[in-house]
Amino acid sequence: MQKRISFYDVDWDRRKASGSVALAFDDRSTTDLRPLAAEELGVLANILRSNKPVYYDPETETFSTQTDPVGE
């Protein structure tokens, strides 16, 4: 089930060469995506920064800029 992202935080650790994205949702739940390679972190940061609203489905680990149609 998709959740609308309210806030996010992007982090990059140069020493470990890995990143993370912390997501907070409208229902006040949170999730932490880590470890992320530089390329994946860049793609996710771009999606989060450039699109509003953005949704995340924890079951399928997918991001979307639109909600699922009713009945899906």
Side-chain angles (χ1 to χ4, degrees):
M1 179 176 170
Q2 290 182 334
K3 295 182 176 190
R4 184 177 169 153
I5 299 169
S6 299
F7 301 98
Y8 65 91
D9 184 38
V10 176
D11 181 57
W12 178 254
D13 185 326
R14 288 182 55 217
R15 291 182 185 179
K16 295 180 181 178
S18 70
S20 67
V21 175
L23 302 174
F25 304 101
D26 283 353
D27 66 1
R28 299 190 184 260
S29 63
T30 62
T31 193
D32 208 11
L33 308 176
R34 68 176 62 208
L36 300 174
E39 184 176 346
E40 185 176 16
L41 182 67
V43 169
L44 294 179
N46 189 42
I47 290 169
L48 292 165
R49 181 179 55 239
S50 302
N51 300 281
K52 299 292 182 226
V54 178
Y55 301 86
Y56 178 69
D57 187 332
E59 293 175 16
T60 61
E61 296 187 6
T62 56
F63 287 82
S64 177
T65 57
Q66 61 185 4
T67 59
D68 283 336
V70 175
E72 291 288 314

